[in-house]
Each structure stands twice: as C-alpha cells, then as structure tokens.
C-alpha cells in the first residue's frame, strides 16, 4: 500500500471463512470472514494465496492476524493479513518435536538488495515476540532465486514458505508454537 494509507493498528480476528475473492481460483486476493456477526474482507499477501486456497475451505473456523490501514483520502479502512490459520485445530505436522528454521541468503546479490536489513529486522521482530530462542536462523549461500532478492525461506516441519515478510514469519511461528502448547 502506498503513502496514502495510514497504519492504524494490528488486528487478530477469529471467525468463519465465507469465501475467497479473486480472478484466479487458486490465488484469491481476498477472503471474506464473518466475525462477531459482521462480514469483513481481508487482503491476503501474495506469499500466502496459494497455500490458503488449498488448505482452507468455506465454513472453516479461522484466525487472521494482520494490520488495518486507513485511506487518508477516502476514510476507507482496509485489512491486510500477515497470517491465516485454522482455529481450534492443530495440524498433525506441527508435532512438538519439529523445529522451525529460517534460511536467509547472504550472498552479495541478496545483501545488496536488503538481505542484511531483512536479517536484522527478522531477528528484532522475533525477539520482540519472544520467539528468537525457539527458531534456528541460518545464513545460507545462494538460493538460486536472485531475481526475487533478498531471499528468505521459513521451514516449519515439512512446510516451507518463501518470500515471507518478518511480521508474517512471526505470526506463522506464533500460530505453530501456540498450537503445540495448547492442543497437541
């Protein structure tokens, strides 16, 4: 979102998934959620679109975390998700013994395009949320996707996420560890 938007606050909504909205069936841009008898549209980040459309179906109870932004010109409030997960269900692949690791490319191309800043921002975000000691951060050599630098891969168990922002990584990890402590 551009500078015409003012970040208002973070949100954490839980409700029932009504539908996906978008031109491509496997990559929806928005999801419709009913929370507290109110329908809301939430924008899905590009890196989560495919995985969400495959793993969730309308009628699922879900939790969405993200940020709300206000359009200064129109006064319209927009919600953008950082993380989406099923609520009340603990996926089997998130067994307590499975580790989470983050691999960040440290070759010159990625470093020049913000890899160093990405690493420090990620460490700070994880530290702020108390997750730094529960994750292994690895500095890697070239990940062979230089066109999308800086490159970062989050691996939780057998699931792998590419091109994920530090806030989304933190949200995914919080959901993973909360699920393990509360329900598994």
């Amino acid at each position: 979102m551009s500078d015409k938007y003012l970040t208002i606050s973070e949100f954490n909504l839980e409700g029932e998934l009504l539908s996906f909205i978008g031109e491509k069936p496997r990559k929806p841009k928005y999801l419709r959620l009913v929370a507290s008898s109110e329908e809301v549209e939430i924008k899905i980040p590009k890196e989560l679109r495919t995985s969400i459309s495959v793993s969730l179906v309308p009628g699922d109870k879900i939790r969405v975390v993200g940020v709300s932004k206000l359009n200064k010109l129109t006064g319209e409030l927009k919600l953008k998700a950082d993380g989406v997960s099923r609520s009340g269900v603990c996926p089997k692949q998130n067994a307590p013994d499975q580790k989470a690791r983050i691999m960040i490319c440290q070759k010159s191309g990625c470093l020049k395009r913000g890899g160093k800043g990405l690493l420090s921002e990620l460490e700070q975000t994880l530290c702020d949320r108390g997750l730094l000691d529960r994750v292994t951060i690895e500095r890697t050599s070239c990940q062979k996707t230089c066109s999308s630098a800086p490159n970062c891969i989050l691996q939780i168990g057998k699931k792998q996420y590419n091109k994920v922002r530090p806030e989304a990584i933190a949200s995914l990890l919080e959901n993973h560890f909360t699920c393990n402590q509360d329900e598994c």
Side-chain angles (χ1 to χ4, degrees), residues 64-80:
V64 182
V65 294
V67 293
S68 60
K69 297 193 176 206
L70 180 68
N71 185 324
K72 295 180 207 175
L73 305 175
T74 65
E76 183 182 4
L77 188 66
K78 295 220 178 220
L79 302 176
K80 185 171 182 182

Side-chain angles (χ1 to χ4, degrees), residues 37-100:
S37 69
E38 186 178 333
E39 284 187 30
V40 292
E41 282 186 14
I42 303 170
K43 188 168 184 179
I44 307 168
K46 289 180 183 178
E47 62 268 9
L48 296 178
R49 289 178 185 170
T50 303
S51 63
I52 287 174
S53 67
V54 172
S55 63
L56 298 175
V57 293
D60 282 347
K61 301 288 184 202
I62 62 171
R63 171 177 286 148
V64 182
V65 294
V67 293
S68 60
K69 297 193 176 206
L70 180 68
N71 185 324
K72 295 180 207 175
L73 305 175
T74 65
E76 183 182 4
L77 188 66
K78 295 220 178 220
L79 302 176
K80 185 171 182 182
D82 284 331
V84 179
S85 64
R86 279 197 178 109
S87 63
V89 176
C90 184
K92 285 186 178 180
Q93 77 237 20
N94 286 351
D97 62 337
Q98 290 183 335
K99 303 282 183 191

Side-chain angles (χ1 to χ4, degrees), residues 1 5-6 11 14-15 19 25 29 36 44 55 58 60 67 75 79 81 96 122 125 148-149 159 175:
M1 295 186 191
Y5 288 93
L6 176 66
F11 67 86
E14 198 164 322
S19 66
K29 280 189 165 187
S36 304
I44 307 168
S55 63
D60 282 347
V67 293
L79 302 176
L122 179 62
T125 302
S148 62
K159 281 198 169 192
N175 288 338

